[in-house]
Amino acid sequence: MKQVVLRAALTAAPTADDFALIDAAAPSVPPDGVVAETLYLSIDPYIGARLRGRHMGEAPPRPSIDPIPAAAIVRVLDSSSPLFAPGDYAHTMHGSWSDCAALPATQLRKLDPDAAPLSAHLSALGMPGLTAWAGLTQLARVRSGDVVLVDAAAGAVGGAVGQIARITGARAIGIAGGAEKCAIVRDEYRFDACVDYRAPDWQDALDAALPAPPTIIFENVSTAMLAAGLQRAAPYARVVLCGLADHYQADAPPAQIPVGLVMMRRASLHGLVVYDFYDRWDAFVAEAGPWVRDGRLAIREDRMRGLESAPALLEKLMRGANLGKCVIDLT
């Protein structure tokens, strides 16, 4: 089988040249597990930090030995578990950049291939969608009339945040980088407005775009963006701290939360780690699946074909040049 590994330990944000495609021995079926072929791989922002040992205390993969970790959609080839049979489809958060893998049955969620496009389980119905749903509905308790401000709005999480906000009757204001991404946010994700933070007057544009002070801030990018949101926030705003992407690869002191602004706005802060909500994944899919099917929760993919394309797509994501959820298609 084929798999992708690191050439050497990373000391900076990954680029395509940091990886190698190698041959490996075909896996055998583990006890109470499966051997499955990989159909789709998810390329996610946290992987850059994960490869440097900077994500949730997880050790980085060993160069030339361990395939790169990834969420994946797989099809079972062989099984020793009563839970799965050959031909079953499943989602796993324990996949890898390889065309075939041995997995414990406990690391798989069975999928109905007729309920939604399979790759949707890596985006709107996958970890990004679950993250958005958990932060908005379970932590911030979004309700009709809220004004939700979210950055990285063209990304898989940010785009789902705004769309779920609209579904619940809230207003959605996005921040994204570049006119093309803002067009996606407005036209495909149907936010009420989107502001291009690369424009020199973006802060004035943000003031003009907000219909009222934000009651929910969904932070994905940086403490500077968080400060910009808090400066405009309504009293008692709810802040969801989902990610600080600009800080993940920086060799600088840890990010500092603007606590003075938190106090001034009487804001409540909710740290979001999506792992805490894995036990609600099926409930989320049951709720959000109809939104995907009827188009209320739109999906845009930045898709490349073939395992050998994964390094280039990760580099593209690390540069913020992707347009939509990054997916590798191995079908």
Side-chain angles (χ1 to χ4, degrees), residues 103-192:
L103 295 161
T106 54
Q107 293 181 353
L108 301 171
R109 287 190 309 111
K110 189 177 290 187
L111 300 178
D112 177 358
D114 298 320
L118 284 171
S119 63
H121 293 279
L122 297 178
S123 56
L125 299 180
M127 186 176 66
L130 178 65
T131 301
W133 176 84
L136 271 183
T137 69
Q138 308 299 293
L139 298 182
R141 302 290 181 182
V142 64
R143 54 187 178 266
S144 181
D146 272 322
V147 176
V148 178
L149 177 63
V150 56
D151 51 16
V157 173
V161 166
Q163 293 184 83
I164 294 172
R166 292 293 307 274
I167 290 167
T168 62
R171 306 290 293 275
I173 309 300
I175 300 173
E180 189 172 13
K181 289 187 176 182
C182 284
I184 292 169
V185 172
R186 290 190 304 268
D187 301 340
E188 298 184 30
Y189 297 157
R190 298 183 295 279
F191 280 46
D192 294 281

Side-chain angles (χ1 to χ4, degrees), residues 2-5 7 16-17 19-22 41 43 97-99 304-314 328-330:
K2 300 288 187 181
Q3 63 184 31
V4 177
V5 297
R7 296 182 186 275
D17 290 338
F19 302 90
L21 181 68
I22 65 170
L41 285 172
I43 308 296
W97 290 11
S98 40
D99 54 21
M304 297 178 71
R305 280 195 166 274
L307 190 60
E308 66 280 2
S309 300
L313 190 56
L314 179 62
I328 295 294
D329 184 345
L330 277 72

Side-chain angles (χ1 to χ4, degrees), residues 226-316:
L226 175 60
L230 283 169
Q231 287 165 0
R232 296 160 171 83
Y236 302 100
R238 293 97 78 197
V239 178
V240 178
L241 297 174
C242 175
L244 296 171
D246 278 2
H247 301 277
Y248 291 161
Q249 306 301 327
D251 294 313
Q256 302 296 310
I257 299 296
V259 292
L261 284 171
V262 174
M263 293 171 62
M264 286 177 58
R265 294 294 183 252
R266 297 84 155 170
S268 58
L269 271 64
H270 304 271
L272 171 58
V273 177
V274 71
Y275 301 164
D276 297 341
F277 297 90
Y278 279 7
D279 62 345
R280 303 184 215 183
W281 208 320
D282 289 341
F284 158 66
V285 171
E287 182 177 1
W291 301 342
V292 172
R293 290 194 294 273
D294 66 21
R296 284 181 289 167
L297 186 51
I299 298 169
R300 183 186 178 100
E301 291 182 347
D302 196 329
R303 182 184 290 209
M304 297 178 71
R305 280 195 166 274
L307 190 60
E308 66 280 2
S309 300
L313 190 56
L314 179 62
E315 179 179 341
K316 185 178 182 181

Side-chain angles (χ1 to χ4, degrees), residues 21-32:
L21 181 68
I22 65 170
D23 292 308
S28 56
V29 182
D32 197 27

Side-chain angles (χ1 to χ4, degrees), residues 32-34 76 79-86 88-89 104-110:
D32 197 27
V34 307
V76 175
S79 174
S80 63
S81 166
L83 300 177
F84 291 92
D88 283 344
Y89 295 88
T106 54
Q107 293 181 353
L108 301 171
R109 287 190 309 111
K110 189 177 290 187

